[in-house]
Amino acid sequence: MNIAALQRFLSDSCIELCGELRVELISGGRSNLTYRAWDDRSSWVVRRPPTSGLTPSAHDMAREYTVTSALQGTAVPVARTVAFDADGSALGAPMTVVEFVEGTVVRDQADLAGLSDDQVAASAGTLVRVLADLHAVDYRAVGLGDFGRPDGFVARQVKLWAGQWDRVKTRELPDVAVLHAALTEAMPATSAASIVHGDFRIDNTILDPRDPGRVRAVVDWEMSTLGDPLTDVALMCVYRDPVFDLVLGSQAAWTSDRLPSASALAQSYAVASGRDLGDWNFYLALANFKLGVIGEGITHRALQGSDSGAGAVRAAEATPEFIAAGLRALKGVTL
């Protein structure tokens, strides 16, 4: 981080600093780089794309800033937006600045161990309600009418992840083509439209440290768009599969058996949102298809020499498991 350049940008954005500006890296790796910046009075979060391995669609800073700005004042908790460098003139890459939200991030099962069973249950219930609240936002009313193309969203998702498989596969897996064909055949005739987060689970939220049943902010919006809300719900549920640990390279909090089952989460969402979970098996199959391709892609990049973090070479071991789960889901069999 070029602290002097960041300081000039904050000053040019009419942010008056009090004392020395300090910066520390909070997280990096496969996602956007996230820094905490603070002076003697205030604290902010600065986000920018990775320095290498950039995938514009997955590291779209304008997308993050646009959706979080639009959600200010809604029922969805997000950090207050402060400033945006769209053309990267300050740091050489686009950058967002939002308020620093004090709270707890539960990333792995060691973090989850610090919560009681009642707190875990309360957190899960709140997460489902927050997702339902997001999908209930009138996206046109908050200025997001042009944020995506909800019509045909599901069909484009099936095509997108099939194409991505062709680009990243490290071996032949015939069941991938079988699942792709089955998804194409089982496509829902109609689907709803809402803002979708695209990566919703407990570690992409900040919890209140005194009350983990309260979400203080939802973060990591770089995959957000307008689309079918049930794709968000199904992905949240499929993330519960323990094989997802191979993709992340750690024992994720969200795969812990202390949390509600995938079916319980789906039912809770149906109650909270009032939505019918029609064609649910299709959405589960699509989520499994997506995660199978993502796992393969992580290993593909690792084999190409890209630094993808711990366990990246093993991430593709999850792919056959997710593809098989997708085929089972389309047959109405879930484990």
Side-chain angles (χ1 to χ4, degrees), residues 92-251:
M95 166 182 59
T96 63
V97 182
V98 301
E99 69 173 348
F100 180 82
V101 178
E102 293 281 357
T104 301
V105 178
V106 180
R107 290 189 176 88
D108 54 36
Q109 293 185 22
D111 296 330
L112 197 69
L115 304 182
S116 69
D117 288 345
D118 287 344
Q119 289 173 326
V120 170
S123 297
T126 300
L127 286 168
V128 170
R129 288 192 297 274
V130 167
L131 188 60
D133 287 342
L134 172 65
H135 295 160
V137 171
D138 184 337
Y139 60 84
R140 295 184 182 90
V142 298
L144 293 177
D146 296 326
F147 191 58
R149 294 182 296 143
D151 292 342
F153 175 78
V154 170
R156 290 196 304 276
Q157 285 286 295
V158 173
K159 183 178 180 180
L160 168 71
W161 292 105
Q164 184 69 0
W165 170 259
D166 290 335
R167 285 187 288 273
V168 304
K169 62 183 178 182
T170 64
R171 66 293 177 60
E172 295 298 327
L173 287 178
D175 276 354
V176 173
V178 174
L179 179 54
H180 175 217
L183 286 166
T184 303
E185 181 69 23
M187 199 87 64
T190 60
S191 62
S194 74
I195 305 168
V196 296
H197 181 274
D199 196 17
F200 192 83
R201 56 182 190 266
I202 195 170
D203 51 311
N204 282 335
T205 66
I206 299 173
L207 306 181
D208 189 314
R210 293 170 295 280
D211 177 13
R214 175 175 172 245
V215 175
R216 299 204 66 201
V218 179
V219 298
D220 288 357
W221 292 89
E222 61 258 43
M223 299 301 291
S224 60
T225 189
L226 299 182
D228 189 323
L230 293 189
T231 60
D232 248 358
V233 186
L235 192 60
M236 173 185 69
C237 291
V238 173
Y239 279 147
R240 289 284 294 111
D241 192 324
V243 77
F244 185 54
D245 289 346
L246 286 170
V247 176
L248 289 184
S250 66
Q251 285 192 301

Side-chain angles (χ1 to χ4, degrees), residues 55-86:
T55 304
S57 63
H59 305 288
D60 189 339
M61 306 310 299
R63 183 166 296 277
E64 281 198 335
Y65 199 77
T66 298
V67 70
T68 52
S69 295
L71 290 172
Q72 305 291 314
T74 69
V76 183
V78 291
R80 182 178 63 85
T81 51
V82 175
F84 177 42
D85 179 13

